[in-house]
Amino acid sequence: MELTINSKVKLNNGLEMPLIGLGVYQSESGNETKDAVLYALKAGYRHIDTAKLYANEHDVGSAVKESGIPRNEIFVTTKLWNKDHGYENTIKAFNKSLEQLDLGYIDLYLIHWPVTGVRNETWKAMETLMETGKCKAIGVSNYTIKDLKELLAFAKIVPAINQVEFSPYLYQKELLDFCNKNTIQLEAYSPLTQGRKLKEKPLVDLSKKYDKTTAQIVLRWALQHNIIIIPKSVTESRIIENANIYDFNISNSDMDILDNLNEDFRVCWDPTNNP
Ligand code: NDP
């Protein structure tokens, strides 16, 4: 099926999640975040990715309300921060995020990082949150295959999402295959490598070939792997550019070229040595 800005993926609990969203990590709280979310909604995005850590949940909520778009047409993700792990703390932190966003419910609540020793107790609280109906799906972030195996061994609810760093320069194929096999949808953070690889020659060559920017090439690559993308920008022209990726198709041979750029390059934290 042809992809569009409205394309969604059905999660393992039946909830539909837009394949593209706006990330707001390092968007300043206040007008910077509010404006970015409004630009994105105007450009057709219907999905925003925030976190307690980003200190801008309130601005995301304000922009969603101000947009006038019905709440149920917008998908909002937020995340549990590391110091809020543990059963009771998780419930409290969730309620605080709910209050900050002030949107009635949260579409997707993620464990931001698999904190050692407490993450499993936290997952039980996440399962309880699902029963309240105030959150429509739960998932994890920065989980390795080892962490997912540990979780799947006791979980009553299989996480809907694993949000991890993912780009052609960090093509985590084994993790992607594991997630696909276990009905866990993979979501790519820092899909633009925070801009650090966008001038690399192989990307520039493909950019010329497809008459697209290198940012559009790497985002389209992820989409063609059926991965959710949440590029961040506070710049209106880039927010529009990053969603203008539905009028071309990367050929199989060029997908192979991009797949082969992997060099385990990370711009964010590395969970592979987390006990
Ligand atoms: P991205 O890979 O999305 O890159 C963002 C950077 O690229 C910003 O500096 C932005 O600048 C710039 N940029 C955006 N569009 C373009 C473009 N078209 N051309 C050139 N430069 C561009 O990085 P993030 O780390 O922000 O990741 C995206 C989202 O993923 C986050 O915002 C957050 O929601 C989530 N995330 C989750 C993590 C987790 O642990 N779960 C960790 C990290 C991110 P500008 O804004 O100035 O336009």
Side-chain angles (χ1 to χ4, degrees):
M1 208 178 64
E2 203 158 303
L3 293 169
T4 72
I5 194 170
N6 301 314
S7 292
K8 292 178 179 168
V9 60
K10 199 175 263 193
L11 305 179
N12 61 17
N13 66 353
L15 188 71
E16 295 202 319
M17 178 167 180
L19 270 171
I20 186 168
L22 177 78
V24 294
Y25 174 43
Q26 292 174 324
S27 298
E28 291 290 322
S29 59
N31 282 344
E32 185 169 90
T33 296
K34 206 172 152 193
D35 289 347
V37 173
L38 285 168
Y39 297 146
L41 294 174
K42 191 168 138 211
Y45 293 62
R46 291 292 180 270
H47 162 196
I48 314 293
D49 183 90
T50 183
K52 177 187 177 187
L53 174 73
Y54 310 163
N56 54 23
E57 289 169 309
H58 175 74
D59 309 298
V60 169
S62 299
V64 166
K65 284 183 278 182
E66 195 176 307
S67 74
I69 297 167
R71 168 68 184 97
N72 63 5
E73 290 178 19
I74 300 177
F75 193 103
V76 178
T77 300
T78 193
K79 313 184 192 86
L80 175 91
W81 185 235
N82 297 352
K83 69 174 179 45
D84 296 322
H85 271 252
Y87 193 91
E88 292 302 331
N89 286 345
T90 299
I91 308 284
K92 263 190 234 152
F94 175 84
N95 285 325
K96 184 79 187 155
S97 285
L98 195 62
E99 186 188 308
Q100 285 289 311
L101 284 160
D102 190 26
L103 293 171
Y105 62 90
I106 290 167
D107 296 272
L108 172 65
Y109 197 48
L110 299 179
I111 294 183
H112 209 142
W113 177 267
V115 176
T116 310
V118 279
R119 57 186 175 239
N120 293 348
E121 196 191 328
T122 298
W123 187 254
K124 290 184 191 145
M126 303 283 283
E127 292 179 329
T128 303
L129 289 171
M130 275 295 284
E131 288 165 16
T132 66
K134 288 182 182 161
C135 119
K136 308 284 178 203
I138 51 174
V140 295
S141 178
N142 294 299
Y143 271 51
T144 60
I145 292 177
K146 174 179 80 58
D147 300 329
L148 290 172
K149 281 184 177 163
E150 176 191 286
L151 178 59
L152 292 174
F154 76 91
K156 283 193 263 168
I157 300 179
V158 174
I161 289 282
N162 186 20
Q163 183 185 109
V164 297
E165 185 171 346
F166 208 93
S167 76
Y169 293 90
L170 180 62
Y171 179 37
Q172 305 196 61
K173 184 163 185 334
E174 231 188 302
L175 179 62
L176 175 62
D177 289 345
F178 182 88
C179 287
N180 285 340
K181 212 182 293 161
N182 288 281
T183 71
I184 301 166
Q185 171 67 42
L186 201 116
E187 178 175 16
Y189 76 65
S190 307
L192 300 170
T193 65
Q194 294 183 348
R196 298 211 351 232
K197 291 283 189 183
L198 296 180
K199 292 197 168 78
E200 294 283 307
K201 186 168 184 312
L203 297 185
V204 173
D205 289 346
L206 289 173
S207 146
K208 286 184 189 142
K209 176 170 174 183
Y210 289 96
D211 196 19
K212 286 289 180 179
T213 65
T214 54
Q216 291 169 328
I217 296 287
V218 296
L219 293 174
R220 179 77 200 188
W221 168 83
L223 279 189
Q224 288 185 209
H225 275 302
N226 198 34
I227 291 169
I228 295 171
I229 46 171
I230 44 172
K232 175 263 178 185
S233 179
V234 294
T235 316
E236 185 169 18
S237 57
R238 284 175 168 176
I239 290 171
I240 293 167
E241 173 187 329
N242 294 341
N244 183 9
I245 51 176
Y246 302 100
D247 57 354
F248 75 114
N249 204 41
I250 301 175
S251 71
N252 290 342
S253 57
D254 290 333
M255 285 295 285
D256 287 343
I257 289 175
L258 290 161
D259 289 353
N260 282 309
L261 294 178
N262 179 49
E263 47 188 55
D264 295 335
F265 173 80
R266 289 179 192 271
V267 292
C268 234
W269 41 2
D270 181 357
T272 54
N273 293 318
N274 186 44

Short mmCIF file of all heavy atoms in Angstrom, two decimals, residues 37 42 47 117 204 227:
data_model
loop_
_atom_site.label_atom_id
_atom_site.label_comp_id
_atom_site.label_asym_id
_atom_site.label_seq_id
_atom_site.Cartn_x
_atom_site.Cartn_y
_atom_site.Cartn_z
N VAL A 37 4.99 22.28 17.59
CA VAL A 37 3.85 21.35 17.52
C VAL A 37 2.77 21.92 16.60
O VAL A 37 2.20 21.20 15.77
CB VAL A 37 3.30 21.04 18.93
CG1 VAL A 37 2.01 20.21 18.85
CG2 VAL A 37 4.35 20.31 19.77
N LYS A 42 -0.12 21.70 11.52
CA LYS A 42 -0.53 22.40 10.29
C LYS A 42 -0.01 21.66 9.05
O LYS A 42 -0.68 21.58 8.02
CB LYS A 42 0.04 23.82 10.32
CG LYS A 42 -0.51 24.74 9.26
CD LYS A 42 -0.12 26.18 9.56
CE LYS A 42 0.29 26.88 8.28
NZ LYS A 42 1.30 27.91 8.50
N HIS A 47 0.97 13.20 15.32
CA HIS A 47 1.63 12.38 16.34
C HIS A 47 2.81 13.18 16.90
O HIS A 47 3.61 13.72 16.14
CB HIS A 47 2.07 11.08 15.64
CG HIS A 47 3.11 10.25 16.32
ND1 HIS A 47 3.79 9.26 15.64
CD2 HIS A 47 3.60 10.24 17.57
CE1 HIS A 47 4.65 8.68 16.46
NE2 HIS A 47 4.56 9.25 17.64
N GLY A 117 17.27 -3.43 38.00
CA GLY A 117 16.77 -3.73 39.35
C GLY A 117 15.31 -3.40 39.54
O GLY A 117 14.62 -4.09 40.29
N VAL A 204 24.49 12.02 0.14
CA VAL A 204 24.45 13.13 -0.82
C VAL A 204 24.21 12.57 -2.23
O VAL A 204 23.41 13.12 -3.01
CB VAL A 204 25.77 13.97 -0.75
CG1 VAL A 204 25.81 15.00 -1.87
CG2 VAL A 204 25.89 14.63 0.62
N ILE A 227 9.21 1.22 9.96
CA ILE A 227 9.60 1.71 11.27
C ILE A 227 8.97 3.09 11.48
O ILE A 227 8.95 3.91 10.55
CB ILE A 227 11.15 1.80 11.35
CG1 ILE A 227 11.72 0.37 11.34
CG2 ILE A 227 11.62 2.57 12.56
CD1 ILE A 227 13.21 0.33 11.14
#
